[in-house]
Amino acid sequence: MGGGPGGLFFATLIKQADPSVEVTVFERNRPEDTFGFGVVFSDATLAAIHQADPVLRTALAEHGRHWDDIEVRLKGQRIRCGGNGMAAITRRTLLHLLHRRAAEVGVELRFSHEVPADPEQLADYDLIVAADGANSRFRDRLADILVPEVEVATAKFIWFGTNYLFDGLTFVHEHAPHGTFAVHGYPISDSVSTFIVETDEESWRRAGLDDFDTAQPPGPSDEKTRHYLEKLFAEQIDGHELLVNNSRWGNFRTRRTHRWHSGNLVLLGDAAHTAHFSVGSGTKMAMEDAIALADSLLAHRDDLPSALEAYEAARRPSVEKIQASARPSLSWWEHFGRYHDAFRPTQFAFHFISRSIGKERIARRDPEFVERVVRDWRATHGGRDPLDTPLRAGEREFGGRWVSPEDLSGPESGCLWLTAPDTEAQLTEIFEQLARAVNGTTPPALVAVQDGTPLTRSLLAEQARLVHGVPALIVEDGMDDDRAETLLLSGRADLVGRERA
């Protein structure tokens, strides 16, 4: 059910592995219909897909675009970080090649075919693969058994194309009278780039972009927004136009499902899980699901329950890892307006690139970029390296950025200790506690953050230093120099320390 890349790839794999199996793909849209513009794959994630079937490798080689650099454009500067090999292709081209490949091996493709989300009406089939997307009707019909969850991001996004060709993955930021807007742009062919715009809800409303009725059926695009963004980003795209394809504002939904199968029905791709598009993983995860499901079915030919259990066991850890790494990336896009105002371009770029990885790993990709970040730090801190830079907090002078938490206990220290929560939803209460302390009769000279998760610690520290102007210390168990320097160079913390015993 569903003729997207994941469903088509699975159908092809299982049919070519065992031609005796009858495989039918039901797709509600026509073959030429597709929503969105392009799909991205990192070089590091393509090996398993290439090994399973050459269709994607051939598609990317003949029709795709490849790049190595990430470019960040901010305040008139363009900063590049290399070593990030990626490739992209238009979704329409990829689907066309997957259609052709599936037909070649004998898969039956039924387009413009709506199937009721009722497994009983599909009783003639031994296995039902629900690859019907993030809004899966099959998943929702079995919600009591599969237990789906959804987390809705606060940032607004809209998906366009443009006939301006970016060199590679490019992040563009513009501050308008209504707020800050950002673009994820990347080439997907020789003539078109994907152009995804994000902003916060307040800026979106101030710009008057909340008029379009997103409840209407797929098809019409938000033309008011298109004209607004064409004007806002005109200089960045040399006056080129934006292209529409069901282009509407939305809030990204991260989906998780506690169980991926029930009886002879199994979920695949976005129907089971989603991860924010800034990590470029949706199509990749769906195609990797397809490989794992085909392998499990072939390994347990006469035992469907064991096959489906093996599929879920094989894929769930990888999916959960991607979703975990996508959360800091999604969060970054929910707060980028704050970073735009607070950071110089080089630090802003480093803050962005280090949202999920550390300084040493980035340096292995592009040592010159990291050297530039460190050079900028030294230029504004008297030539000192990050960990050796003095800091004054209230009446207290720190000779370097490493701090012993034991020295900051007691009211005389002037330090406010805050415990970061385990979830972002719980941060609101801690933010209110921080605001009361800062606005109280004896405001803290320093805020120390401990416990929680790396993300909640960073967000709480940034709330102190970027919103309230109070230096922030992040304390972590096992903090090493790489982690410490990443926090300091990125502007997530002013001081660092290891957990108290």
Side-chain angles (χ1 to χ4, degrees):
M1 303 302 156
L8 289 166
F9 198 50
F10 167 75
T12 299
L13 292 178
I14 199 69
K15 182 66 177 179
Q16 69 181 5
D18 187 349
S20 69
V21 176
E22 296 181 19
V23 185
T24 306
V25 174
F26 295 93
E27 168 56 49
R28 69 171 62 181
N29 295 311
R30 300 170 300 174
E32 64 271 20
D33 292 338
T34 183
F35 299 115
F37 288 89
V39 292
V40 178
F41 301 89
S42 72
D43 291 351
T45 66
L46 290 173
I49 296 174
H50 290 342
Q51 185 177 358
D53 189 278
V55 62
L56 182 58
R57 179 174 61 239
T58 301
L60 291 172
E62 296 182 359
H63 306 281
R65 292 290 298 262
H66 185 274
W67 63 86
D68 188 65
D69 288 354
I70 289 176
E71 180 177 278
V72 177
R73 300 183 185 177
L74 182 78
K75 301 174 184 176
Q77 292 193 33
R78 297 188 179 190
I79 298 150
R80 290 196 170 215
C81 179
N84 304 281
M86 298 181 186
I89 189 172
T90 64
R91 185 175 177 85
R92 185 186 297 274
T93 298
L94 178 60
L95 287 174
H96 171 73
L97 295 172
L98 287 169
H99 292 161
R100 189 171 69 187
R101 179 69 178 137
E104 285 175 356
V105 300
V107 173
E108 181 181 356
L109 302 174
R110 298 187 187 179
F111 296 102
S112 303
H113 201 115
E114 187 82 52
V115 178
D118 184 356
E120 293 181 3
Q121 297 192 32
L122 299 167
D124 291 341
Y125 292 92
D126 300 301
L127 176 65
I128 304 165
V129 179
D132 54 338
N135 298 316
S136 171
R137 295 175 302 123
F138 287 86
R139 178 200 61 224
D140 292 347
R141 183 177 176 84
L142 296 173
D144 290 346
I145 299 171
L146 304 178
V147 196
E149 293 180 353
V150 61
E151 179 183 347
V152 183
T154 60
K156 310 292 292 188
F157 78 95
I158 189 168
W159 208 296
F160 289 103
T162 177
N163 50 17
Y164 171 85
L165 276 184
F166 291 103
D167 290 336
L169 184 57
T170 307
F171 297 98
V172 185
H173 306 81
E174 287 288 350
H175 194 70
H178 307 106
T180 306
F181 292 77
V183 170
H184 312 227
Y186 52 87
I188 56 176
S189 73
D190 291 336
S191 58
V192 174
S193 296
T194 287
F195 193 92
I196 310 169
V197 182
E198 291 203 70
T199 190
D200 60 276
E201 184 164 351
E202 186 177 350
S203 299
W204 175 71
R205 291 190 184 279
R206 281 200 303 262
L209 303 179
D210 55 344
D211 297 338
F212 187 85
D213 179 15
T214 57
Q216 61 181 300
S221 296
D222 185 343
E223 291 292 334
K224 179 179 180 179
T225 289
R226 180 172 73 87
H227 292 305
Y228 179 91
L229 295 175
E230 274 186 345
K231 183 177 179 180
L232 177 63
F233 290 101
E235 185 176 343
Q236 296 285 359
I237 57 175
D238 295 340
H240 285 68
E241 63 179 343
L242 297 184
L243 312 174
V244 297
N245 184 346
N246 197 45
S247 302
R248 306 169 177 200
W249 289 103
N251 297 70
F252 188 83
R253 286 166 166 75
T254 300
R255 297 188 182 274
R256 299 176 177 85
T257 312
H258 284 234
R259 186 171 174 80
W260 294 4
H261 61 92
S262 174
N264 69 335
L265 182 137
V266 63
L267 305 179
L268 186 149
D270 285 354
H273 47 71
T274 60
H276 192 245
F277 48 79
S278 61
V279 297
S281 58
T283 301
K284 167 220 179 236
M285 285 198 297
M287 297 181 78
E288 289 179 342
D289 283 357
I291 296 169
L293 181 55
D295 287 346
S296 296
L297 289 167
L298 294 168
H300 303 273
R301 290 175 180 266
D302 300 318
D303 188 350
L304 183 61
S306 294
L308 301 186
E309 289 286 353
Y311 156 66
E312 185 170 341
R315 285 295 297 147
R316 186 178 287 277
S318 176
V319 166
E320 290 179 349
K321 182 178 179 180
I322 291 172
Q323 289 183 316
S325 67
R327 181 57 238 180
S329 185
L330 186 155
S331 177
W332 194 92
W333 288 101
E334 293 178 313
H335 299 92
F336 73 85
R338 173 187 298 177
Y339 309 141
H340 176 280
D341 296 338
F343 297 143
R344 303 179 306 279
T346 302
Q347 187 177 35
F348 179 92
F350 184 76
H351 189 284
F352 169 68
I353 294 170
S354 66
R355 64 200 189 280
S356 297
I357 61 176
K359 169 178 171 278
E360 289 184 2
R361 189 171 166 189
I362 298 170
R364 288 196 293 271
R365 298 181 181 183
D366 190 338
E368 292 184 6
F369 168 71
V370 173
E371 287 172 7
R372 177 177 178 179
V373 173
V374 174
R375 250 191 341 265
D376 271 22
W377 173 280
R378 291 174 180 151
T380 55
H381 293 88
R384 302 288 191 108
D385 287 333
L387 293 173
D388 298 326
T389 301
L391 177 75
R392 187 173 185 84
E395 299 299 318
R396 187 156 187 174
E397 184 82 26
F398 296 94
R401 298 306 174 101
W402 274 114
V403 174
S404 174
E406 288 77 9
D407 295 339
L408 296 173
S409 59
E412 70 282 356
S413 70
C415 179
L416 172 66
W417 281 90
L418 294 175
T419 298
D422 291 329
T423 66
E424 291 166 84
Q426 298 169 296
L427 278 170
T428 302
E429 182 179 344
I430 313 298
F431 285 169
E432 292 172 355
Q433 178 186 345
L434 172 61
R436 288 193 299 269
V438 170
N439 296 314
T441 55
T442 309
L446 176 68
V447 171
V449 180
Q450 61 183 346
D451 299 332
T453 68
L455 177 58
T456 58
R457 285 192 294 272
S458 294
L459 291 175
L460 186 49
E462 288 175 347
Q463 187 76 6
R465 67 186 308 273
L466 300 182
V467 176
H468 297 292
V470 181
L473 159 69
I474 289 182
V475 179
E476 292 181 358
D477 184 24
M479 172 106 58
D480 59 14
D481 285 357
D482 177 51
R483 173 67 173 159
E485 289 190 336
T486 302
L487 291 172
L488 296 172
L489 288 167
S490 67
R492 291 179 170 88
D494 300 286
L495 297 165
V496 290
R498 296 185 179 93
E499 290 281 7
R500 293 176 292 179

